[in-house]
Amino acid sequence: MTHYDDLTYSVYLDAELEPGVAREVRAHLAVCPACREKLRELEKVHLRLAAALGEVALPASLLAAPERTEPVPGLRWVSVLATGLASAGLYLVVSFVSRLFSLEPLEWLNLASMDGFFQFFFEPLRRFIEEDWMKRWIDWAGMGALGLLLASLFYYLRRIRLPARMALVSLALLIMLGAASPAGAVELRRRHGSYTLPANEVVHGDLLIGARDIRIDGTIEGDLISFSRSVTVNGTVKGDLIAFAREIRVNGTVSDDLRGFAQNITIEGNVGKHVTAFCQKLEISDKSQVGSNVYGFAAEVRVNGHLLRDLVLYAEETVLAGQVDGSVRIQGHRLNVASSARIPGKLFYRGYGKPVVDSGAQIGTLDFVQIVRKPRYTQPRFYLKQAIRYVGALLLAALLIWLVPRPLQRVVANVGSLGRGAGLGLLLAVSIPVAAVILMITMVGLPIGLIMGGLYAVLLYAGHIFAGTWLGAKVLSRPEGNLASVGAAAVGLLIYRLSKFIPYVGPLVTLVAAVVGLGAICFEIYSHLRPRAALPSAPAATASM
Amino acid sequence: MAKAEEQAMLSPAERDEAIQKAQRGDASAFAALYRGYVRRIFGVCYHMLGSPADAEDATSEVFVKVRAGLAGYSLAQPFEGWLYRVAVNHCVDWLRRRKGERMVFSDTDPAEAVAKDESPGALAEMVTEEETTAVRRILQEMPARLRIPLVMRFYNEMSYDEIARTLDMNRRTVGVMIFRGKRELARRLRAQALQRRQAAT
C-alpha cells in the first residue's frame, strides 16, 4: 500500500487537491488507519489555526468614520518630484549665475554647440574644483543642488530591495573610484587662478587639477585629469591626458592617450597613442607626431603633422597637409588636401562638397561619395524614412503587446498618471547622460558608460512607443483586447509621427514623449524592485494539486 | 456591536454601487466601503503584524492607499481580492521596513492584548484561550514568508489560486508554504507541550 505524504494531506485538508486525487486519498484513508491518525493530528493544527486566526476586536478609533484615511494623495511622489525639479532648477540657476560672472554670458544659450554643451555640464564642476572664493557661494549652492539630487535618488534607494540597493551602491562606488582614481594614487590640486608644475618637478602618480589655467612644465608619471580654462603641456605626461578646457595645447609629450573636450585642441608635440578630440578646432601642427589613431569630432581640423596610424574625422572643414601612414576616413562638408600631404594608403571622404586636392599631394587611393543636400521635405526618401520609422515603432509596439501585455499595460497606465514617474524620468533623462559622460572619461568606466549610453538611447526610443500607445488609447477611449491595443498604438504613434512635422511643436513633443515614457518605464522597473512578498521558491513538491 | 457590524456588511450590489460612487469621489460611499471592510482589513494587518497598535496604523494607511488607488480598480476583478492584495502588500512592506529595527522590547504581549476580546464560539470550546494565545505567539515568531500564506488562507479564507495571484508565486508553492507553516506550528506546539511537561515533573 502506498501512503500519501504529509504535503498531500495538508492540501487535502485545505480542499485544494484536484477532485480525482482527492477521491483516491479518501479511498486510501478508508483503508489505512495510520494515515487516518496522521490526518487527525493535522486537523488539530487546522483547528488551532482557525481559532487563532479568527476575528479580532476592532479598536474604537478605527470604528469611527474614515476621516483618518482622508489622503494627501501622492504626497511622496509630489515631494520627490519637487525635490527633483528643485535640484534641476537650482542647478540651472547656479549655472546661469556662474555664467553671468564668466566672460561669455551668451555662449551657454547655444547648448547645441560643443562649447555650449561643455559649458553647460562642466563649468559648474570646474568651478567646484577650482578654488575661487569670490564665487564660492555658487559652489555651495551647487553642492546643495547635488545633495538634493542625491537625497531624492536615495529616496528611491531606500525603498527598493536589498540586493538591488547593494548593486546600486557598489556601482556608485565603482563610478566614484573610477572617476577619482583609476591608478589609486591621485593627487588632487585646486588652485585659484593659474597652476604651474615647474620644469624640474616630477609628480609620481596621477594628478587631478582644477584651476583657471594649467601649465605643466615638469613631468607627471601617471595621468593628468584637468578641469580648467586652459591646459598646456610643455613637459611630459607619461599616462593619459584627459582634459576639459577651453584650450588644450600639447607642446611637450603625452605618452599615452589624449582625450580632450574643448574648444581648441592644438598638438605641437608628441602623443604616444590615440587622440580623441571633441572640439571646435583640432590642429595637429607640422612638428608633431601621433603614435596611433586620431578620432576627431570637430568643426575644423588641420592636420600638418605625422600620424603613424589611421585618421577618422567627423568635421565640417578639414585640411590635410601632413603625413598619415594608415588610412583616412572623413565625413564632412569640405576637404582640402594640400600639396604637402603624404597619404600612401586609402582616403575615403563622404561629404557635401568635392574634395580639393592640390597638385603635389600624394594620395594612395581617393574614394569620394557626395552627399546631396536638398530640403528634406522635398525628398521622397524623407517620407519613406518616416514611414519606415512609424512601421518599425508600430511593429515593436505590437510585439510588446503580444509578448508582455500586462507590463505594457502598466507602463502605459503610468504614462497616463503623469506625476507617476515623470519626476523620475526627468531626473534620469538629465542624470544618465552626465553619468555616462563622466564614466566614459575614465578608463575603468568606459565600457559601463558606453552600455549606459546605449541603454539610455533604447529607453528613450521605447519611451515614445509607450507614450504613443497611451495617446492612442486615450483617443480610442479604452480599447479592449490585444488587437484594439495595437490599433491604439497605430493611432497614437501616427499622431506622434505627424506632430514631428510641425515646426517647434515637433521637438517639444519628442522631448515630452521621451521623458514621460522613460519615467513610466523606470517607474515600472522601480515598482518591481520594491519589496514585495519575496518568498523563496519551494523545493519540488510531491503532491499533485 | 454585532448588530452594527451586520449593518456595515454590504451586499454585492450595494458594494459595486458604493465602489462606483467612491471612484467618482463620493465621500459617503467610501465611508460605507470603509465600514464594510475595516474589520477584515484590521484583522489581516493584525495577524500579519502581530501588534494591535501597528495594525491600527497599517489599517489607516491601507485605506489611504485604497482611496488613492480606487480609480485604477475595475469591477471586472473581485473587490475583496484586490483589497486584500493592497493590505497584504502594505503589510509586507511594513514588515520589511521594520526588519532593520527589530523590536527589542515590548511592554505588552500583543497576542494577549487582543485575544481577550474574542467572543466565545463553537471553536473556542474545543481550543482553549490559552492555546489560541500560544498559537498567535508562535505565528508572530514565525518567518513572514510562512506566516503570510497562513493568514491569507485561514483568516482571509482565500483559495490557493487567489493567494498565488496576490503573492505573485505559483499555486504549488502556495501549497508548500502553507504546509510548511502548519508543520512548523505543530513542531513548536509539541516542543512547548514537552517543555511544560518537563517543568511539571
Side-chain angles (χ1 to χ4, degrees):
Chain A
M1 185 158 54
T2 49
H3 301 279
Y4 290 93
D5 61 1
D6 292 356
L7 175 56
T8 309
Y9 286 129
S10 165
V11 180
Y12 172 73
L13 275 183
D14 285 338
E16 293 274 3
L17 274 184
E18 279 164 22
V21 185
R23 255 196 309 279
E24 284 167 27
V25 170
R26 246 194 313 278
H28 173 75
L29 282 169
V31 295
C32 177
C35 282
R36 272 206 300 278
E37 182 55 34
K38 201 191 252 179
L39 199 70
R40 255 197 297 280
E41 282 301 311
L42 206 57
E43 264 176 327
K44 273 189 207 160
V45 175
H46 264 236
L47 221 55
R48 292 202 168 93
L49 271 171
L53 291 175
E55 290 303 337
V56 288
L58 192 64
S61 61
L62 283 176
L63 265 179
E67 278 77 45
R68 282 175 66 177
T69 69
E70 213 45 85
V72 193
L75 180 69
R76 289 167 181 169
W77 277 106
V78 169
S79 66
V80 170
L81 193 70
T83 319
L85 285 177
S87 330
L90 201 53
Y91 182 89
L92 281 176
V93 169
V94 167
S95 311
F96 178 72
V97 173
S98 67
R99 259 164 225 132
L100 279 187
F101 282 104
S102 72
L103 293 175
E104 297 81 8
L106 279 178
E107 237 165 36
W108 67 277
L109 280 171
N110 188 5
L111 260 183
S113 77
M114 187 56 71
D115 199 54
F117 178 81
F118 166 71
Q119 285 270 312
F120 184 79
F121 284 112
F122 295 106
E123 181 72 12
L125 194 58
R126 183 179 75 75
R127 281 194 184 283
F128 172 64
I129 292 177
E130 181 181 357
E131 201 164 30
D132 191 343
W133 62 273
M134 216 182 76
K135 289 156 202 157
R136 190 177 293 164
W137 68 274
I138 295 171
D139 296 345
W140 289 116
M143 286 307 283
L146 196 68
L148 275 174
L149 206 84
L150 283 176
S152 55
L153 276 175
F154 192 73
Y155 173 84
Y156 290 101
L157 270 182
R158 194 168 63 82
R159 294 168 55 97
I160 62 180
R161 270 193 213 152
L162 192 66
R165 191 163 34 187
M166 295 302 285
L168 272 175
V169 170
S170 7
L171 185 70
L173 279 176
L174 197 73
I175 291 170
M176 282 163 69
L177 277 175
S181 107
V186 164
E187 233 177 294
L188 181 73
R189 298 190 183 181
R190 306 197 314 174
R191 288 287 186 283
H192 167 55
S194 60
Y195 169 86
T196 305
L197 184 74
N200 49 4
E201 210 170 286
V202 177
V203 175
H204 306 281
D206 299 339
L207 191 59
L208 177 67
I209 315 180
R212 181 169 291 268
D213 300 296
I214 299 171
R215 220 176 89 181
I216 306 296
D217 292 340
T219 302
I220 298 170
E221 300 204 318
D223 300 334
L224 169 62
I225 301 165
S226 71
F227 296 87
S228 58
R229 182 170 293 267
S230 76
V231 54
T232 308
V233 176
N234 295 323
T236 304
V237 176
K238 292 196 171 161
D240 296 337
L241 167 60
I242 297 164
F244 296 86
R246 183 169 300 269
E247 196 83 41
I248 301 174
R249 180 174 279 273
V250 177
N251 298 326
T253 303
V254 174
S255 304
D256 279 350
D257 295 350
L258 163 62
R259 276 176 227 199
F261 301 81
Q263 187 158 13
N264 298 323
I265 299 181
T266 311
I267 302 173
E268 301 239 1
N270 295 322
V271 177
K273 290 182 181 164
H274 302 284
V275 172
T276 312
F278 294 87
C279 57
Q280 182 95 35
K281 187 174 173 186
L282 169 66
E283 195 169 348
I284 301 176
S285 71
D286 53 1
K287 292 182 289 290
S288 65
Q289 182 175 312
V290 178
S292 196
N293 300 345
V294 174
Y295 303 99
F297 303 86
E300 202 184 327
V301 178
R302 231 162 246 285
V303 178
N304 297 320
H306 185 182
L307 313 188
L308 300 180
R309 296 274 293 275
D310 301 346
L311 171 66
V312 180
L313 294 176
Y314 286 87
E316 198 169 312
E317 189 174 346
T318 309
V319 178
L320 295 180
Q323 182 173 346
V324 182
D325 293 348
S327 60
V328 180
R329 284 185 78 89
I330 298 171
Q331 174 154 342
H333 288 233
R334 288 179 294 281
L335 170 66
N336 182 7
V337 184
S339 57
S340 57
R342 300 283 177 273
I343 303 166
K346 202 165 152 187
L347 168 63
F348 177 81
Y349 172 62
R350 188 166 178 275
Y352 293 102
K354 275 188 179 155
V356 180
V357 181
D358 297 350
S359 62
Q362 293 176 9
I363 304 173
T365 52
L366 172 63
D367 273 347
F368 169 58
V369 176
Q370 184 153 28
I371 303 171
V372 186
R373 190 158 51 160
K374 279 189 212 161
R376 49 188 206 142
Y377 294 99
T378 63
Q379 287 178 306
R381 247 185 65 187
F382 169 73
Y383 295 98
L384 184 70
K385 220 187 232 170
Q386 293 295 326
I388 289 173
R389 280 194 190 152
Y390 171 66
V391 171
L394 185 57
L395 278 179
L396 189 60
L399 196 70
L400 286 173
I401 289 168
W402 180 53
L403 284 178
V404 282
R406 285 184 63 187
L408 179 108
Q409 280 281 332
R410 283 199 294 271
V411 173
V412 170
N414 289 347
V415 174
S417 45
L418 256 176
R420 247 190 191 183
L424 186 62
L426 202 65
L427 204 70
L428 291 173
V430 175
S431 58
I432 292 178
V434 175
V437 167
I438 290 175
L439 274 173
M440 275 189 238
I441 62 166
T442 68
M443 277 114 288
V444 185
L446 185 64
I448 305 174
L450 286 174
I451 291 169
M452 214 172 182
L455 207 65
Y456 182 64
V458 170
L459 281 179
L460 281 185
Y461 179 76
H464 98 264
I465 289 178
F466 290 111
T469 307
W470 173 80
L471 185 68
K474 238 359 201 198
V475 172
L476 297 184
S477 65
R478 285 171 179 245
E480 301 254 346
N482 283 357
L483 206 65
S485 300
V486 176
V491 172
L493 288 172
L494 187 66
I495 297 172
Y496 169 81
R497 191 56 59 190
L498 289 178
S499 76
K500 290 192 134 193
F501 296 123
I502 309 169
Y504 303 108
V505 176
L508 196 69
V509 169
T510 310
L511 184 74
V512 170
V515 166
V516 170
L518 178 73
I521 297 169
C522 292
F523 182 83
E524 185 56 27
I525 295 171
Y526 156 69
S527 66
H528 275 279
L529 292 177
R530 260 167 66 182
R532 300 177 66 186
L535 304 168
S537 58
T542 46
S544 48
M545 290 176 227
Chain B
M1 197 160 80
K3 260 185 193 161
E5 272 161 50
E6 291 298 324
Q7 283 168 356
M9 289 303 284
L10 298 168
S11 74
E14 284 171 339
R15 180 197 63 201
D16 289 355
E17 198 192 327
I19 291 167
Q20 279 168 339
K21 277 188 183 165
Q23 280 178 330
R24 288 194 294 268
D26 184 333
S28 70
F30 185 79
L33 284 176
Y34 177 90
R35 280 193 299 274
Y37 291 99
V38 67
R39 174 168 290 276
R40 295 299 294 171
I41 298 302
F42 176 75
V44 175
C45 296
Y46 169 70
H47 289 308
M48 289 252 183
L49 306 177
S51 136
D54 282 356
E56 205 181 315
D57 289 348
T59 304
S60 299
E61 286 168 23
V62 166
F63 276 99
V64 169
K65 279 190 179 170
V66 166
R67 190 189 279 254
L70 205 57
Y73 165 76
S74 113
L75 280 175
Q77 50 179 325
F79 182 67
E80 280 84 1
W82 179 79
L83 195 62
Y84 290 158
R85 204 149 40 237
V86 175
V88 167
N89 286 336
H90 185 76
C91 289
V92 170
D93 274 355
W94 181 297
L95 286 170
R96 192 169 291 271
R97 272 205 305 274
R98 210 180 51 183
K99 215 169 162 188
E101 35 186 284
R102 198 175 283 280
M103 275 185 292
V104 182
F105 53 84
S106 91
D107 39 4
T108 57
D109 189 330
E112 240 154 356
V114 174
K116 283 181 192 125
D117 293 326
E118 189 93 355
S119 56
L123 273 176
E125 283 164 22
M126 283 179 274
V127 184
T128 65
E129 203 172 282
E130 213 174 311
E131 269 182 323
T132 300
T133 309
V135 172
R136 282 191 178 164
R137 197 173 299 139
I138 291 171
L139 279 171
Q140 286 318 312
E141 286 163 2
M142 259 189 207
R145 70 198 156 82
L146 293 182
R147 180 171 71 249
I148 290 163
L150 283 180
V151 172
M152 293 168 90
R153 174 73 202 171
F154 285 88
Y155 179 72
N156 293 356
E157 290 167 350
M158 290 163 85
S159 71
Y160 280 17
D161 283 326
E162 287 167 327
I163 297 172
R165 219 174 307 131
T166 306
L167 296 183
D168 204 9
M169 54 194 201
N170 64 39
R171 185 183 149 76
R172 183 175 286 266
T173 314
V174 171
V176 173
M177 283 321 205
I178 288 177
F179 164 64
R180 283 200 196 157
K182 290 176 193 168
R183 194 175 55 184
E184 178 70 9
L185 177 67
R187 192 184 64 77
R188 292 206 196 188
L189 280 173
R190 268 201 306 276
Q192 278 186 1
L194 194 71
Q195 246 175 5
R196 231 173 296 138
R197 233 172 296 143
Q198 275 169 349
T201 53

